[in-house]
Amino acid sequence: MIYSIALYLYALAVVLVSPFRKKAWLMVKGQWNTFRILRKNIRREEMYVWFHAASLGEFEQGRPLMERLRREHPEYKILLTFFSPSGYEVRKDYEGADVVCYLPFDTPGNVRSFLRLARPRMAFFIKYEFWNNYLHACRRRQIPVYSVSSIFRENQVFFRWYGRSYSDVLRCVTHFFVQNETSCELLARKGITNVTVAGDTRFDRVLDICRQAKDLPLVKAFKQDAKVLVAGSSWAPDEDLIIPYFNAHPEMKLVLAPHVVSEDHLKEIEGKLRRPFVRYSRVTEESAARADCLI
């Protein structure tokens, strides 16, 4: 009851701020479209496997599994959901999935409508995704749920005295594929033993990217013979550490790929740099050779 009330309040807050925050507006608009997308694209005669990723990073962790499922079990269709606009807006046209949409807020009504329309045969939740109502509804409907690349820490709500009731959601998971032994031990304290230590699937994705690497002449022109620090999907607190270090070490170059690529944030980054920089969207071979930082 407390969980559902908190969800309703959170959903209301997102709606109220959506006229002023682009990310909130994209989420609200996207969730409104979810049921229309499902009605239009889910075919009742097909079997769907549901993958849920909060954002882009979790998608990359689930991607090797989706692509292997596609290769080895073509009889299944893939439904991919995101919670965050930073995932959906980048990967809404991902060709490896048959249907892509936002996951509506975890309210009882949304859960009933979503599962009635999607009818998944099984579900894969990536890393930190433990939505109470969705997972309990899957258990009642006997839909197997697998937690992939999940990682647990002592300070998470599941292992605190005040999270005892919420930790029941863990018993809705058919099997956990966790990243490390610590996660396995923490789950064992809860009496949960349906666990395999499988590592982080993001490493599989990095290896795939490495094998499929494209030649980037402009990046080569930028790098030349220098040592390069690469910061991917960085947030402002990361940049507050990385940029001063870069400014103080003229022997190295920096490739900075921020998580948020709004114009305001890019200008904020540029204001902190004390050495020549260029944005990749504006780079030429000449400007690349002159720059010390490639954004």
Side-chain angles (χ1 to χ4, degrees):
M1 176 64 78
I2 295 175
Y3 174 87
S4 294
I5 291 172
L7 251 297
Y8 280 117
L9 292 174
Y10 176 67
L12 177 61
V14 172
V15 171
L16 291 175
V17 303
S18 62
F20 314 103
R21 297 290 181 91
K22 182 180 179 182
K23 195 170 181 178
W25 167 240
L26 288 171
M27 181 183 291
V28 169
K29 184 177 70 170
Q31 290 195 16
W32 283 343
N33 285 331
T34 290
F35 298 129
R36 179 186 61 80
I37 290 171
L38 294 177
R39 290 189 190 97
K40 180 180 178 182
N41 294 289
I42 294 290
R43 298 178 181 176
R44 300 197 66 81
E45 69 276 11
E46 301 285 4
M47 298 184 295
Y48 287 86
V49 177
W50 171 25
F51 285 84
H52 176 63
S55 190
L56 192 58
E58 289 80 9
F59 164 79
E60 291 294 336
Q61 288 177 293
R63 184 170 177 170
L65 188 56
M66 282 185 273
E67 294 180 351
R68 184 165 180 176
L69 179 72
R70 175 77 84 186
R71 287 195 307 271
E72 297 185 5
H73 294 279
E75 69 272 21
Y76 286 111
K77 300 294 183 182
I78 292 177
L79 165 63
L80 171 63
T81 60
F82 289 97
F83 187 72
S84 168
S86 58
Y88 177 80
E89 298 302 328
V90 175
R91 291 301 184 187
K92 59 187 174 184
D93 298 319
Y94 172 56
E95 294 180 354
D98 299 281
V99 183
V100 184
C101 59
Y102 278 90
L103 183 68
F105 288 116
D106 188 28
T107 61
N110 282 343
V111 170
R112 285 192 297 271
S113 297
F114 181 88
L115 293 178
R116 177 175 53 81
L117 292 169
R119 300 179 303 105
R121 295 298 181 94
M122 64 188 80
F124 291 83
F125 281 58
I126 312 300
K127 200 171 183 177
Y128 293 128
E129 294 300 277
F130 297 100
W131 294 105
N132 190 65
N133 292 323
Y134 278 107
L135 292 181
H136 276 92
C138 284
R139 183 167 66 175
R140 288 194 298 272
R141 293 169 180 246
Q142 298 184 321
I143 300 169
V145 174
Y146 303 94
S147 178
V148 178
S149 284
S150 44
I151 188 166
F152 295 93
R153 299 181 179 87
E154 191 91 45
N155 61 355
Q156 286 174 301
V157 63
F158 310 114
F159 311 109
R160 299 290 191 172
W161 63 267
Y162 51 80
R164 190 173 302 164
S165 60
Y166 180 65
S167 68
D168 286 344
V169 73
L170 299 175
R171 304 188 188 282
C172 298
V173 176
T174 307
H175 200 90
F176 291 88
F177 294 92
V178 299
Q179 292 189 29
N180 55 31
E181 291 288 350
T182 300
S183 299
C184 188
E185 292 165 5
L186 287 168
L187 290 172
R189 290 188 204 171
K190 290 285 183 182
I192 297 170
T193 57
N194 49 326
V195 183
T196 300
V197 179
D200 188 346
T201 50
R202 190 172 298 193
F203 286 96
D204 299 85
R205 178 62 186 141
V206 170
L207 286 172
D208 287 342
I209 292 170
C210 186
R211 293 187 190 108
Q212 300 166 17
K214 299 176 182 177
D215 190 47
L216 299 171
L218 291 173
V219 176
K220 286 183 178 179
F222 165 76
K223 181 186 179 300
Q224 300 179 62
D225 295 324
K227 290 183 178 179
V228 179
L229 172 63
V230 179
S233 194
S234 62
W235 291 87
D238 305 317
E239 292 147 12
D240 287 340
L241 294 172
I242 293 164
I243 292 175
Y245 181 85
F246 161 73
N247 288 334
H249 288 78
E251 74 280 4
M252 62 177 289
K253 291 193 172 189
L254 172 64
V255 174
L256 184 64
H259 187 88
V260 176
V261 291
S262 67
E263 183 64 23
D264 287 346
H265 186 55
L266 293 175
K267 286 181 177 177
E268 183 181 340
I269 289 171
E270 290 170 348
K272 296 175 182 176
L273 291 164
R274 300 292 176 263
R275 295 168 60 191
F277 61 83
V278 64
R279 296 187 190 184
Y280 188 70
S281 56
R282 300 173 182 173
V283 72
T284 64
E285 192 163 334
E286 183 180 350
S287 63
R290 292 197 308 265
D292 290 335
C293 177
L294 179 63
I295 307 172

